[in-house]
Amino acid sequence: MVMDDFRLDKEAKINTGFTTPEGYFDAFQQKIMQGLPVQEPKVIPLFARRRVWMMSAVAILVLALTVPIYTNFYKDNEGIDAVSMENYLAYQSNISQYDLINLLDSEDIQNLNVDLALEDKTIEDILTDNNNLENYIYENE
């Protein structure tokens, strides 16, 4: 069996029978868009959920009011203790002992006049425990 020589460019072409009408592709996009169902996007207005906005405003208001109340309620109302005051005054270089003496009134001086009954044994124990005896001797002169 021998195959016949055939060439596509020389042979008669078969008509497919399908032809497009004039201007078919010009209006093609509009036809397709008309065929699709029309869905409008759902628009949610900002104030549609008023309850959410009201609750958030109330929560912010409650927080704004409770923070100062909490800090004032749990604040220590105690005054400055003596140790803190003494440390503060000891480490402040611009306050001298003469400045402190000038600020004392008669009531403060009366409070300082406390009679301490020290025994000789207590004084000896303090002096033997401390190596800086010169400071005690120098301060008492």
Side-chain angles (χ1 to χ4, degrees), residues 105-114:
D105 59 358
S106 60
E107 184 178 327
D108 293 330
I109 294 171
Q110 289 296 326
N111 290 338
L112 290 174
N113 287 335
V114 177

Side-chain angles (χ1 to χ4, degrees), residues 34-45:
Q34 287 174 356
L36 293 175
V38 177
Q39 291 182 351
E40 293 184 15
K42 186 176 180 182
V43 177
I44 301 173

Side-chain angles (χ1 to χ4, degrees), residues 80-95:
I80 299 173
D81 60 322
V83 175
S84 299
M85 179 67 81
E86 184 178 345
N87 289 337
Y88 175 76
L89 293 175
Y91 291 115
Q92 291 297 320
S93 61
N94 59 354
I95 298 175

Side-chain angles (χ1 to χ4, degrees), residues 46-114:
L46 189 59
F47 295 105
R49 306 238 178 203
R50 285 192 175 157
R51 184 170 187 222
V52 173
W53 287 102
M54 294 296 279
M55 289 297 178
S56 62
V58 168
I60 291 171
L61 182 66
V62 167
L63 281 175
L65 292 177
T66 55
V67 169
I69 291 171
Y70 179 78
T71 56
N72 287 336
F73 183 70
Y74 287 106
K75 185 175 75 171
D76 292 337
N77 289 332
E78 297 177 11
I80 299 173
D81 60 322
V83 175
S84 299
M85 179 67 81
E86 184 178 345
N87 289 337
Y88 175 76
L89 293 175
Y91 291 115
Q92 291 297 320
S93 61
N94 59 354
I95 298 175
S96 68
Q97 62 185 356
Y98 299 110
D99 293 334
L100 292 175
I101 291 170
N102 290 334
L103 293 174
L104 292 175
D105 59 358
S106 60
E107 184 178 327
D108 293 330
I109 294 171
Q110 289 296 326
N111 290 338
L112 290 174
N113 287 335
V114 177

